[in-house]
Amino acid sequence: MKFRPCIDLHEGKVKQIVGETLGSGSGVRENFVSSHGADHYAELFKRDGLTGGHVIMLGPGNEAEAEKALAAWPGGLQVGGGITAENAAYYLERGASHVIVTSYIFRDGRLDDGRLEKIAAEVGRDRLVIDLSCKASDGTWKVATNQWKVLSDFVVNKENLAYLQNYCAEFLVHAVDVEGKRSGIQEELARQLAEWAAIPATYAGGIRSLDDVERFRQLTGGKLDFTVGSALDLFGGNLPYRELVRYAGNGRPGR
């Protein structure tokens, strides 16, 4: 079980937001807006030896900041948000270890196998991460796309994960219903992902304390990695980053 750090970018700034408010009529709900650039956090994660974290561009206008982060921690960060078969190589060349895709391969609420095959061929299975951020729907988990505004018909289950893992190296799964709310883990989703995923997978959503992290470890048997956003003191929360790095034990704490 690894702690995977995150850098979320919105309107050219590092932010933590309630994900399901993206594109909503009432506007984006911001938990935190940083005075630091993305490279500040990337340098911190590099110093602490945290690999496999992700930089997510939430809409346009974030490309320059994403590139700064990748340059600061080359090979240490993945990048997602607006990734296509046409621009994926660009970000890999600028230091991303992997590219992350969702909306590009899910069109009109359905998985587009042609696009999936195209981007996997372009970057190689070993450098592709599929984001399966999902919401509870009719007793299942359905992938949410286009900044989580569109609920697809694609169900996250054992059979579908087995199919997708032929094309990618990892999964990233945000529990959209709890993302950014600091309301606790979506326990059933975490438990099922640990059972279903046969390749590395990272869970995001709701973790707010070291007790939650320990609960997550127990639920998943340590089979899943995790990320923490709004709850971290780096991003205005109460969970000390230093304590989390020490607890997870996968970094080398800096000074």
Side-chain angles (χ1 to χ4, degrees), residues 28 77 132 147 163 171 175:
V28 172
L77 293 165
L132 295 174
Q147 298 183 347
Y163 172 71
F171 296 121

Side-chain angles (χ1 to χ4, degrees), residues 97-114:
S97 65
H98 299 70
V99 290
I100 306 168
V101 292
T102 305
S103 297
Y104 174 75
I105 63 171
F106 289 96
R107 285 201 302 171
D108 303 320
R110 295 178 179 274
L111 176 66
D112 186 323
D113 293 276

Side-chain angles (χ1 to χ4, degrees), residues 72-245:
W73 191 190
L77 293 165
Q78 305 170 356
V79 66
I83 300 297
T84 68
E86 289 69 36
N87 68 13
Y90 177 87
Y91 288 101
L92 294 174
E93 290 166 359
R94 275 150 186 78
S97 65
H98 299 70
V99 290
I100 306 168
V101 292
T102 305
S103 297
Y104 174 75
I105 63 171
F106 289 96
R107 285 201 302 171
D108 303 320
R110 295 178 179 274
L111 176 66
D112 186 323
D113 293 276
R115 284 193 168 190
L116 173 61
E117 292 173 2
K118 183 177 181 181
I119 194 166
E122 176 66 25
V123 303
R125 174 184 178 275
D126 60 339
R127 302 194 75 178
L128 183 65
V129 177
I130 295 179
D131 185 335
L132 295 174
S133 298
C134 56
K135 292 175 65 72
S137 176
D138 301 324
T140 65
W141 307 104
K142 290 183 179 177
V143 171
T145 69
N146 297 312
Q147 298 183 347
W148 301 341
K149 298 188 295 291
V150 177
L151 193 65
S152 75
D153 67 356
F154 191 87
V155 176
V156 177
N157 58 29
K158 185 175 182 178
E159 293 73 24
N160 283 339
L161 291 187
Y163 172 71
L164 290 178
Q165 67 196 28
N166 293 309
Y167 296 93
C168 66
E170 298 183 11
F171 296 121
L172 171 63
V173 184
H174 293 80
V176 176
D177 295 315
V178 297
E179 174 66 22
K181 297 179 180 178
R182 296 181 239 183
S183 57
I185 303 159
Q186 178 46 270
E187 293 194 359
E188 188 60 23
L189 176 59
R191 185 185 298 111
Q192 290 178 327
L193 287 172
E195 177 186 341
W196 295 337
I199 60 175
T202 300
Y203 167 90
I207 294 176
R208 61 201 164 175
S209 66
L210 288 180
D211 286 342
D212 280 347
V213 176
E214 176 58 21
R215 175 62 177 161
F216 177 79
R217 185 190 66 78
Q218 294 171 359
L219 285 168
T220 64
K223 295 178 180 177
L224 296 183
D225 294 340
F226 67 96
T227 191
V228 182
S230 296
L232 273 186
D233 58 356
L234 293 181
F235 303 125
N238 298 316
L239 176 54
Y241 166 76
R242 279 280 159 244
E243 289 187 15
L244 183 57
V245 172

